[in-house]
């Protein structure tokens, strides 16, 4: 996206992570805090033997605006992932049969992720990191000299 700037050393917080062999993509580029949540979530998915529900990987980091909006998407910060998009499109009722992600939702929540299927404009393919899970970026302190009168 032209004009979109990543600030507060954001690029230094981006990482490439390897995923398990069962995941449709071998590597994913995302925010380091998202990487931790995804690893936790995928471990829970494996433990529950639900990995066959993830049919497609449809993106994580993507510098763009929210569809139809003017603010950066959570994807623009590497803080969201889309899976099984074909069956869980934006604004559509998320799948309940083939292509469903519904059995993965509670595991996602336990891992610190919000499900887009719960959004007002449903986005069943979308899982994003809960804001409270993101560690704050420390701002540089500027030394200011205050003169007392």
């Amino acid at each position: 996206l032209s004009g979109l700037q990543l600030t507060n050393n954001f690029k230094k917080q981006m990482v490439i992570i390897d995923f398990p062999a069962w995941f449709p993509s071998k590597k994913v580029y995302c925010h380091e805090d998202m990487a931790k949540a995804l690893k936790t979530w995928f471990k829970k998915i494996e433990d529950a033997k639900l990995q066959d529900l993830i049919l497609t990987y449809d993106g994580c980091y993507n510098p763009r605006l929210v569809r139809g909006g003017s603010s950066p998407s959570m994807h623009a910060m590497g803080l969201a992932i889309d899976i099984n998009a074909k069956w869980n499109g934006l604004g559509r009722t998320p799948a309940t049969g083939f292509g469903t992600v519904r059995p993965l939702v509670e595991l996602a929540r336990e891992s610190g992720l919000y499900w887009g299927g719960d959004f007002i404009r449903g986005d069943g393919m979308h899982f994003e990191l809960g804001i409270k899970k993101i560690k704050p970026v420390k701002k540089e302190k500027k030394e200011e000299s205050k003169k007392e009168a």
Side-chain angles (χ1 to χ4, degrees):
L1 253 186
S2 175
L4 184 62
Q5 300 274 333
L6 300 177
T7 60
N8 293 335
N9 295 320
F10 175 78
K11 289 182 183 179
K12 291 181 180 177
Q13 295 176 293
M14 297 296 287
V15 296
I16 296 173
I17 54 174
D18 295 316
F19 279 132
W22 56 264
F23 191 73
S25 178
K26 298 300 174 221
K27 295 184 183 295
V28 175
Y29 185 60
C30 62
H31 189 279
E32 62 188 6
D33 290 335
M34 182 66 169
K36 292 174 193 168
L38 288 175
K39 287 178 182 181
T40 299
W41 185 35
F42 289 161
K43 174 75 170 96
K44 289 177 181 287
I45 290 170
E46 284 180 11
D47 290 348
K49 300 188 181 343
L50 295 174
Q51 58 266 41
D52 290 346
L53 292 178
I54 298 182
L55 305 173
T56 62
Y57 163 68
D58 302 293
C60 187
Y61 173 71
N62 183 1
R64 65 174 177 80
L65 300 177
V66 173
R67 289 187 203 140
S70 59
S71 59
S73 164
M74 292 294 277
H75 289 284
M77 297 170 277
L79 296 171
I81 190 169
D82 291 339
I83 58 172
N84 295 3
K86 180 178 178 179
W87 303 276
N88 299 283
L90 177 66
R92 296 193 327 224
T93 301
T96 55
F98 189 79
T100 188
V101 296
R102 292 174 187 267
L104 307 176
V105 172
E106 189 56 37
L107 299 175
R109 289 182 180 131
E110 292 170 7
S111 303
L113 301 170
Y114 291 122
W115 180 46
D118 290 330
F119 296 170
I120 292 171
R121 179 176 68 161
D123 193 2
M125 72 181 105
H126 183 90
F127 293 85
E128 69 181 46
L129 189 65
I131 296 300
K132 292 180 182 177
K133 294 285 183 179
I134 302 170
K135 62 184 177 189
V137 176
K138 293 180 182 176
K139 294 182 180 179
E140 293 181 26
K141 292 182 180 179
K142 292 183 180 179
E143 302 242 355
E144 295 180 19
S145 57
K146 295 183 179 180
K147 296 182 181 176
E148 293 184 25

